[in-house]
């Protein structure tokens, strides 16, 4: 039943927002990726107690963020690090998939410009997705925007994908995917930029496709400054 699935996904997104808030509060020099992974499990588990649920995702920090994703390690965060959390939560039969990037200390202008470009790329993608659009066209438009900003070749993954029955489904916004998006689909938009051995960042929201465009299902902040954890002086 579509409405039941949609409600499960919305609940999973509420849990995701609570996880991101907990991570914002816990972010500090010396905290490990694994500790943040375990925190995620505790927060989600308390909110979904007694329900059928699970979670998975990418928990990477520092130069590991340039690798796009990965399982948590014992690596501890240092001043100036980025922390990338790409989180998929299942509530019942409904999966969501979101991502936020956090900053341990104010980022420099290079990082800030990359983040703002990713944010605008997501908006460009959102204006492109509608019922009947070919998935590869969405990727083409997003990539063209990144090229126009001097970031060609720095997003080596898809620009988003369908979600719901699984954390990743087709159609995906990637080259060669000629499937079309349909009204009623729930899709993600997740542009990112990655710079080898240095840093990477990504933003991901979930949207309901309508006949005329998209409705954002994840009403959670995206502004960079919201995710900066100030360092003690």
């Amino acid at each position: 039943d579509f409405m039941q699935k949609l409600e499960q996904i919305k609940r999973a997104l509420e849990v995701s927002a609570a996880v991101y808030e907990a991570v914002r509060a816990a972010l500090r020099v010396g905290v490990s990726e694994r500790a943040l992974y375990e925190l995620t499990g505790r927060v989600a588990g308390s909110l979904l107690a007694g329900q059928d649920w699970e979670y998975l995702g990418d928990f990477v920090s520092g130069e590991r963020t340039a690798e796009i994703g990965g399982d948590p390690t014992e690596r501890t965060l240092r001043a100036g690090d980025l922390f990338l959390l790409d989180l998929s939560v299942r509530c019942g039969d409904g999966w969501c998939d979101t991502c936020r990037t956090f900053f341990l200390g104010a980022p420099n202008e290079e990082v800030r410009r990359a983040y703002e470009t990713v944010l605008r790329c997501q908006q460009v993608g959102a204006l492109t997705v509608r019922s009947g659009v070919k998935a590869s066209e969405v990727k083409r438009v997003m990539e063209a925007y990144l090229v126009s900003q001097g970031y060609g070749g720095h997003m080596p993954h898809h620009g988003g994908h369908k979600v719901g029955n699984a954390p990743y489904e087709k159609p995906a916004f990637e080259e060669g995917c000629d499937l079309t998006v349909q009204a009623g689909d729930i899709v993600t938009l997740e542009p990112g930029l990655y710079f080898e051995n240095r840093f990477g960042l990504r933003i991901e929201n979930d949207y309901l496709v309508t006949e005329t465009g998209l409705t954002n299902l994840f009403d959670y902040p995206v502004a960079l400054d919201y995710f900066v954890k100030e360092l003690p002086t």
Side-chain angles (χ1 to χ4, degrees):
D1 174 65
F2 173 75
M3 291 309 298
Q4 181 182 18
K5 176 73 64 66
L6 182 59
E7 288 308 310
Q8 290 172 331
I9 292 170
K10 287 181 175 178
R11 179 58 179 151
L13 288 167
E14 290 174 359
V15 171
S16 300
V19 166
Y20 291 134
E21 285 298 288
V23 168
R24 278 182 74 224
L27 208 63
R28 58 175 173 78
V29 172
V31 71
S32 70
E33 295 170 351
R34 191 169 308 282
L36 295 171
Y37 170 82
E38 292 168 351
L39 173 65
T40 296
R42 289 196 302 274
V43 171
S46 66
L47 292 171
L48 296 171
Q51 301 177 59
D52 180 20
W53 71 279
E54 62 181 305
Y55 78 106
L56 51 86
D58 299 312
F59 293 77
V60 291
S61 61
E63 65 280 357
R64 294 190 72 223
T65 57
E67 300 168 12
I68 301 176
D71 293 332
T73 70
E74 300 300 334
R75 185 189 187 280
T76 57
L77 273 70
R78 307 175 196 127
D81 274 355
L82 280 64
F83 176 66
L84 189 154
L85 172 51
D86 190 315
L87 179 62
S88 295
V89 176
R90 179 178 63 79
C91 177
D93 296 321
W95 281 95
C96 73
D97 186 13
T98 61
C99 186
R100 289 296 186 271
T101 304
F102 301 81
F103 306 88
L104 194 49
N108 62 30
E109 282 306 309
E110 180 191 19
V111 174
R112 189 173 286 272
R113 181 174 183 270
Y115 187 96
E116 296 299 337
T117 301
V118 166
L119 195 52
R120 288 194 297 271
C121 184
Q122 188 181 58
Q123 294 161 355
V124 166
L127 291 172
T128 308
V129 180
R130 63 191 177 280
S131 184
V133 73
K134 190 181 291 186
S136 58
E137 173 66 7
V138 180
K139 167 71 171 182
R140 187 193 68 77
V141 170
M142 293 172 76
E143 186 64 40
Y145 175 75
L146 294 178
V147 169
S148 77
Q149 301 302 305
Y151 291 109
H154 286 282
M155 185 176 81
H157 57 68
H158 55 67
H161 53 87
K162 187 178 176 182
V163 72
N165 294 322
Y168 172 88
E169 300 179 69
K170 301 275 190 169
F173 305 135
E174 61 191 5
E175 293 175 15
C177 185
D178 293 332
L179 297 171
T180 57
V181 178
Q182 302 299 325
D185 286 349
I186 295 169
V187 300
T188 76
L189 286 168
E190 55 171 316
L193 291 172
Y194 310 89
F195 305 89
E196 190 174 0
N197 297 322
R198 298 180 58 234
F199 72 91
L201 47 85
R202 182 164 69 254
I203 308 165
E204 182 176 21
N205 283 349
D206 294 9
Y207 306 82
L208 175 63
V209 181
T210 69
E211 291 294 348
T212 55
L214 290 182
T215 300
N216 184 12
L217 298 176
F218 194 47
D219 185 22
Y220 185 74
V222 291
L224 182 151
D225 288 335
Y226 190 78
F227 298 95
V228 175
K229 185 66 170 278
E230 297 294 344
L231 297 170
T233 54

